[in-house]
Amino acid sequence: MNCKSARKLIPAHIDGELDSQKTELLRSHLESCNSCRGLSQSLRRASDALGVVPEIAPAFTMADIRERASLRSQSPLMSLFPPVSRLAATAMAIAAVAGGSVSGVYYGAGSAARQPALTVSADTVATSLGLDAFDSGLAEALHISDAGLETEGQVTQ
Amino acid sequence: MPTPDSQLIAAWQRGDEGAFQALFERYRARVVNIAWRFLGDADAAQDAAQEVFVKLYTSARGYRPDAEFSTWLYRVTANACMDALRKRRRWRLAPEAELTQMPADESASPEAQAASDELARQVRAAIASLPPNQRIAVVLQRYEELSYKQIAAVLNTSVPAVESLLFRAKDALRRALSGYVEAAEHPAGGKKD
């Protein structure tokens, strides 16, 4: 066995994945080759070092899974957002609602017949985005009252 | 003797919530730690692990036992990790190598704790620097102790492909951890051959 072939087999040897025939050939090569033996020792030490990363404990319960599954069934698009961006998603939804409102005012100006006002509650925004109670609290902090946000103008068709 | 996974999944498919709870308890630590080793961020790992169980909770009725349940679960976990990585990049969140601070081991001396923390930081950064497919192969092999054949089944590839992935991954890790590896080979300022 030459060095090139031996080096390819070393990781599988360390992982105990080589059959007995290849193991014997590799062992024989390592006994006579300082360079490959050094590589084998380095790979083994690097593999051992991976063991220093400690485990973490799960920080969620079955109730969290049920709640998330329930929210997901109501709002499948929320899976596209990472959790920390939910505030941003909330803000985008609010901006969209506000944008509709502003457009409505602009295009509706001078119109004799007013359309029904658009009413969006904090709960509606939160539920449509699949947000939890904490995020809903954030929506409220952004001045959407529980009583609902009534736009001043109208949404033109 | 614990109830086999296959019986629990069959019971869950019949609507037995307790069977799902048992699977959840059996696998949640394993799933969260695969995500943790892959993503290098504890919060992101908790989130990805929850996604795995939500997927299981909502789609278990579509599961067909053409593979071991654990293989299927590892595959869902690998996909959730890849998705989490894509989201981090898409939303320009902190890079995965920006690592979570771990609690200190109170039994260790401050010096030993600092050395251990530093090595753990280097290891997590080294893992995070691997391409995603090499990274998941390393996590499944080194931490979950899956055989190459099992990893091939999870990643839906061949055993030679797994050998190749792990060969490249382990060589890259050896290079990334060369400071530690060389210090271990030549302790106390020993001279190289």
Side-chain angles (χ1 to χ4, degrees):
Chain A
M1 178 175 280
N2 60 28
C3 291
K4 190 177 174 187
S5 304
R7 285 169 183 244
K8 281 189 178 170
L9 295 178
I10 290 170
H13 174 57
I14 292 169
D15 296 339
E17 291 276 348
L18 282 192
D19 61 34
S20 56
Q21 187 185 6
K22 283 181 179 168
T23 299
E24 212 38 59
L25 285 169
L26 181 61
R27 273 194 187 144
S28 168
H29 178 83
L30 293 179
E31 279 173 15
S32 62
C33 180
N34 285 342
S35 173
C36 289
R37 193 164 61 247
L39 176 67
S40 176
Q41 288 166 350
S42 297
L43 283 166
R44 199 178 288 276
R45 287 198 178 94
S47 183
D48 289 346
L50 300 191
V52 302
V53 179
E55 292 199 337
I56 61 171
F60 54 90
T61 64
M62 194 54 227
D64 295 319
I65 302 304
R66 284 195 200 95
E67 184 184 353
R68 197 181 272 222
S70 168
L71 290 169
R72 188 63 45 78
S73 67
Q74 292 167 29
S75 180
L77 288 179
M78 271 314 288
S79 63
L80 296 174
F81 298 101
V84 294
S85 74
R86 287 184 184 176
L87 177 58
T90 308
M92 278 164 34
I94 292 163
V97 169
S101 165
V102 170
S103 305
V105 171
Y106 180 79
Y107 290 113
S111 169
R114 287 178 65 86
Q115 302 293 319
L118 175 66
T119 301
V120 182
S121 72
D123 279 350
T124 306
V125 172
T127 303
S128 69
L129 290 168
L131 303 180
D132 57 22
F134 175 70
D135 292 321
S136 176
L138 290 174
E140 288 172 32
L142 290 166
H143 309 297
I144 300 179
S145 71
D146 281 330
L149 173 70
E150 189 171 272
T151 61
E152 294 298 320
Q154 68 242 31
V155 178
T156 54
Q157 300 299 312
Chain B
M1 191 175 167
T3 310
D5 291 347
S6 55
Q7 284 185 25
L8 290 172
I9 195 78
W12 165 237
Q13 286 178 319
R14 291 193 302 270
D16 180 349
E17 187 91 3
F20 184 86
Q21 177 93 34
L23 286 167
F24 174 76
E25 296 297 342
R26 185 172 293 177
Y27 284 103
R28 70 174 174 157
R30 213 177 289 182
V31 168
V32 82
N33 276 290
I34 292 171
W36 155 237
R37 263 77 186 244
F38 183 90
L39 295 167
D41 176 306
D43 290 339
Q46 300 286 355
D47 185 63
Q50 288 184 68
E51 287 299 315
V52 170
F53 287 103
V54 168
K55 170 92 176 167
L56 179 59
Y57 191 77
T58 54
S59 65
R61 285 179 174 80
Y63 164 74
R64 295 284 174 270
D66 53 352
E68 290 269 330
F69 171 74
S70 59
T71 301
W72 184 68
L73 184 64
Y74 282 127
R75 190 177 297 155
V76 174
T77 305
N79 286 336
C81 288
M82 301 286 185
D83 285 347
L85 199 59
R86 277 193 286 270
K87 278 184 194 173
R88 295 178 76 81
R89 289 173 178 169
R90 187 187 308 143
W91 292 89
R92 298 173 188 275
L93 301 182
E96 59 267 26
E98 195 168 287
L99 304 164
T100 308
Q101 195 72 32
M102 294 306 297
D105 174 4
E106 291 177 2
S107 65
S109 70
E111 294 80 13
Q113 183 64 48
S116 173
D117 287 350
E118 174 55 20
L119 178 57
R121 190 196 63 76
Q122 285 181 28
V123 167
R124 287 153 65 198
I127 293 173
S129 72
L130 296 174
N133 55 354
Q134 291 182 27
R135 204 188 308 183
I136 194 69
V138 164
V139 169
L140 293 175
Q141 189 277 322
R142 180 61 181 79
Y143 297 107
E144 291 302 305
E145 300 182 340
L146 265 58
S147 68
Y148 287 14
K149 189 177 174 186
Q150 288 171 311
I151 296 169
V154 170
L155 302 182
N156 202 20
T157 188
S158 65
V159 171
V162 171
E163 280 175 0
S164 175
L165 277 178
L166 287 171
F167 173 79
R168 283 178 282 142
K170 295 197 170 192
D171 199 44
L173 291 172
R174 177 183 66 84
R175 290 170 197 274
L177 298 171
S178 59
Y180 165 78
V181 168
E182 284 169 17
E185 284 171 0
H186 308 286
K191 207 174 159 187
K192 288 185 186 180
D193 293 333

